[in-house]
Amino acid sequence: MGAGIAQVAARAGYDVVLRDIAQDFLARGMNSIDKSLQRDVDKERLSKDEKRAIMARIRTTTDIGALSDTFIVVEAVTEEFPIKSEVFKSLEEVTSANAILASNTSSISITRLGAVTRRPDKVIGMHFMNPVPVMKLVEIIRGAATSDDTYEKTRGLSGKLGKIPLECQDSPGFISNRVLMPMINEAIFALHEGVATRESIDGIMKLGMNHPMGPLALADFIGLDVCLAIMNVLHDGFGDSKYRACPLLKRYVDAGWLGKKSGRGFYEY
Ligand code: CAA
């Protein structure tokens, strides 16, 4: 998702530093940006020169120190609190005291992330949806200490990126995943219990509810490990058994069948 976020920011005219821990990941990210922009060139919605200029605005690096001059950092690392908290501590060290530290987390508490820094007022959730260049929403999450100034600047930036910002308070799963994930989990339970085939479950939701993808295909698209992590956050956060992850989802994640990114999930890719 980091690549998608870099792409929309560069397309909106911002200079972007794309930082990852290894060159391979950066190359993969730039490759996906190249492919995504090429769709628009092919459809004559973007010229080759504009595409080149957008890509030239993105500088890649493995050095976190290269983020020192940024006015906002959007973190999009693995959905694990210990990893995110280490990243936030490093970001606090390398960025200027005025820089906003935003997280693209899909379910980790913004209040907890803010509390690992000495500037929780500048920590906010900026939750983009996949595929980032296509989806209009940015869910903006205010932590307990997020200031109004940080919120207004983040909301303004989201608009400049061509997105529609919608606000919610910090609560497990925010709004998007509190509503989406139990639906996906229920679809997995239905498959697990043999109520219907994967094609039937997805077809019913696509044709009957006008969803662009069925819940099982969407789970594969999001990543089954991410789905499981979000269900666990909901279960722990609310302490309500209605959020228990389906055993079939756990089994697939244990098997390494993580969806589209691993070549197999509820479907084969
Ligand atoms: N980059 C740029 N453009 C892309 C793209 C990409 N990666 N993927 C698709 N597109 C564009 C296509 O160019 C096409 O554009 P036009 O119609 O303007 O020509 C348009 O999107 C539709 O694409 P396709 O025709 O190839 O395919 P589709 O109609 O099946 O749409 C989809 C693909 C947009 C992914 C659609 O299936 C969809 O909206 N799916 C649901 C996505 C969703 O729910 N996302 C949220 C997931 S939850 C999340 O991200 C957050 C979380 O915390 C888990």
Side-chain angles (χ1 to χ4, degrees):
M1 284 191 85
I5 298 166
Q7 177 182 331
V8 296
R11 189 162 186 164
Y14 291 97
D15 288 324
V16 179
V17 182
L18 182 61
R19 188 263 172 178
D20 210 319
I21 49 172
Q23 276 303 335
D24 292 8
F25 299 142
L26 290 167
R28 209 186 301 162
M30 289 308 285
N31 189 35
S32 90
I33 294 172
D34 184 79
K35 272 198 195 145
S36 175
L37 292 173
Q38 189 57 40
R39 284 172 188 249
D40 285 336
V41 172
D42 294 343
K43 288 177 183 165
E44 297 181 356
R45 291 191 291 224
L46 191 71
S47 73
K48 280 186 184 159
D49 284 348
E50 284 167 327
K51 178 187 163 202
R52 217 171 292 130
I54 294 167
M55 297 206 52
R57 282 199 281 277
I58 305 173
R59 181 157 64 92
T60 59
T61 182
T62 54
D63 172 18
I64 199 161
L67 300 171
S68 60
D69 286 338
T70 50
F71 70 92
I72 183 165
V73 179
V74 185
E75 163 278 315
V77 308
T78 314
E79 283 291 286
E80 286 177 40
F81 182 76
I83 299 177
K84 285 201 192 284
S85 69
E86 281 312 307
V87 169
F88 269 73
K89 282 182 201 153
S90 306
L91 289 174
E92 184 183 27
E93 294 305 316
V94 301
T95 55
S96 80
N98 289 329
I100 294 175
L101 304 180
S103 177
N104 179 50
T105 180
S106 47
S107 60
I108 288 173
S109 162
I110 299 302
T111 306
R112 280 181 78 199
L113 280 178
V116 304
T117 74
R118 286 181 303 263
R119 54 174 118 139
D121 56 311
K122 299 219 159 39
V123 174
I124 193 161
M126 207 178 177
H127 185 205
F128 291 82
M129 304 291 130
N130 229 340
V132 180
V134 180
M135 306 300 280
K136 281 281 171 209
L137 175 69
V138 178
E139 188 178 34
I140 307 229
I141 305 107
R142 297 175 76 137
T146 308
S147 69
D148 289 344
D149 181 59
T150 298
Y151 169 70
E152 286 305 335
K153 284 180 177 151
T154 307
R155 196 169 70 98
L157 173 67
S158 305
K160 286 184 192 149
L161 299 184
K163 302 294 178 196
I164 297 170
L166 291 173
E167 177 194 0
C168 72
Q169 298 298 322
D170 193 17
S171 171
F174 316 135
I175 292 296
S176 54
N177 282 317
R178 181 174 179 168
V179 177
L180 174 67
M181 268 320 142
M183 181 195 71
I184 288 178
N185 195 48
E186 202 59 36
I188 302 170
F189 265 115
L191 182 72
H192 187 50
E193 291 165 14
V195 181
T197 61
R198 60 185 186 184
E199 288 79 9
S200 203
I201 293 169
D202 277 354
I204 286 167
M205 297 306 288
K206 277 173 69 174
L207 299 174
M209 267 47 86
N210 240 357
H211 290 190
M213 286 171 143
L216 300 172
L218 183 56
D220 278 358
F221 181 64
I222 292 168
L224 302 191
D225 51 340
V226 176
C227 294
L228 179 58
I230 295 170
M231 284 311 297
N232 288 338
V233 165
L234 292 173
H235 196 218
D236 293 346
F238 291 114
D240 188 330
S241 63
K242 77 177 177 181
Y243 296 112
R244 74 200 183 285
C246 177
L248 188 65
L249 175 61
K250 290 185 190 158
R251 183 153 14 121
Y252 273 45
V253 172
D254 285 344
W257 300 336
L258 305 182
K260 215 172 167 197
K261 64 186 167 192
S262 73
R264 176 170 179 180
F266 295 109
Y267 295 86
E268 296 75 39
Y269 299 89

